Amino acid sequence: SDAISYKDKGIIFPASPNTGKTMMISRLRNREGVEFFGDDFAIIGNGQLFSFPSDFSVYKYHFDFFPELKDTAASTKIKKASFERALVLFIRSLPIKKAIKRLANAIGYEYLMGGEYLKIPAKNLIRAEKIGKQLPLAVAVLLEKYDGGELKEESITAKAVAREMADILKLEWKDSLPVLFLLSRAKILDADAFFNAIEQIFSKELAELKMQKVFLPTRIKNEERTDQLEQFLEKEVFFTIKKNK
């Protein structure tokens, strides 16, 4: 989930990977009244949203949305992705891959994930004064792509959002799931109970929020899709927050 605030009200965007969250943040990051709380990860609890400005996962097509990255070392690096992708895939096949990654981090090497994207520190893309700290959580906007040409929206229950958020976590944790289910088969841990507990926690945290599900069309260009999402947020989320101030 990505997270921002608008006029001191927290907004989370649960979504699967490659849904367009980073492009949305790139568009909203300098907007008046908006603060950044997290990209890919958001921390919520007791009705509050907490800042977790982890590194951005920046793909080549994101460089159009972050112009400050053009003609930088990051730009040069992403252009050489084909060679590095082959190298990283080879390293991933080695038993010592974790040690190699730790060594890369220790020497300040910006690890290119499989030759596909770079990890860019949030502070390089978001001004310090635009990074939030803690405030009340008010809105959840679930994002999902669909085969169409226009943005669509529908109302959704807290229980349904919680279920989809649990499924998104499974996608994010796909590399760890085999271990989890192995422990479950050995009766050391009950995987189903674990994910049911997560879903119940989400349901409780989302119960008082305004919630909507937005379907993002895939038949149009990234920039046009981001335009439609920004227009939706202005009309249905930001306007409501301003009205209720």
Side-chain angles (χ1 to χ4, degrees), residues 38-185:
D39 180 63
D40 285 340
F41 300 96
I43 299 177
I44 60 175
N46 297 321
Q48 298 288 303
L49 174 65
F50 300 88
S51 184
F52 189 70
S54 59
D55 293 348
F56 278 75
S57 299
V58 177
Y59 289 79
K60 186 175 181 180
Y61 63 88
H62 286 144
F63 280 66
D64 290 334
F65 295 86
F66 294 106
E68 64 267 41
L69 293 179
K70 291 184 178 181
D71 302 320
T72 64
S75 177
T76 302
K77 192 173 184 58
I78 204 82
K79 290 175 183 176
K80 296 178 179 178
S82 297
F83 169 76
E84 186 154 354
R85 178 170 175 76
L87 177 61
V88 172
L89 289 176
F90 171 72
I91 289 174
R92 283 181 177 177
S93 69
L94 299 177
I96 60 170
K97 60 183 179 182
K98 290 184 178 179
I100 293 174
K101 184 175 180 179
R102 283 197 294 269
L103 175 62
N105 290 335
I107 63 175
Y109 175 69
E110 288 185 328
Y111 191 70
L112 184 58
M113 305 298 292
E116 296 177 356
Y117 61 91
L118 287 168
K119 285 293 189 180
I120 305 292
K123 65 181 181 180
N124 292 1
L125 301 173
I126 308 292
R127 301 197 312 272
E129 65 271 19
K130 297 289 286 183
I131 296 179
K133 294 181 179 178
Q134 177 186 345
L135 43 68
L137 182 59
V139 181
V141 180
L142 183 65
L143 303 178
E144 182 178 310
K145 284 186 175 179
Y146 88 105
D147 184 22
E150 292 291 333
L151 181 145
K152 300 191 302 184
E153 60 177 289
E154 67 177 30
S155 59
I156 188 169
T157 65
K159 187 174 182 179
V161 174
R163 188 181 308 115
E164 296 208 31
M165 288 175 67
D167 288 340
I168 291 168
L169 275 183
K170 290 178 183 178
L171 283 176
E172 296 286 354
W173 295 347
K174 61 181 184 299
D175 292 336
S176 303
L177 287 180
V179 175
L180 184 61
F181 288 113
L182 181 63
L183 293 173
S184 186
R185 286 179 63 87

Side-chain angles (χ1 to χ4, degrees), residues 44-48 137 200-209:
I44 60 175
N46 297 321
Q48 298 288 303
L137 182 59
Q200 290 173 12
I201 291 170
F202 285 153
S203 292
K204 180 180 177 181
E205 290 294 337
L206 299 171
E208 303 300 322
L209 304 188

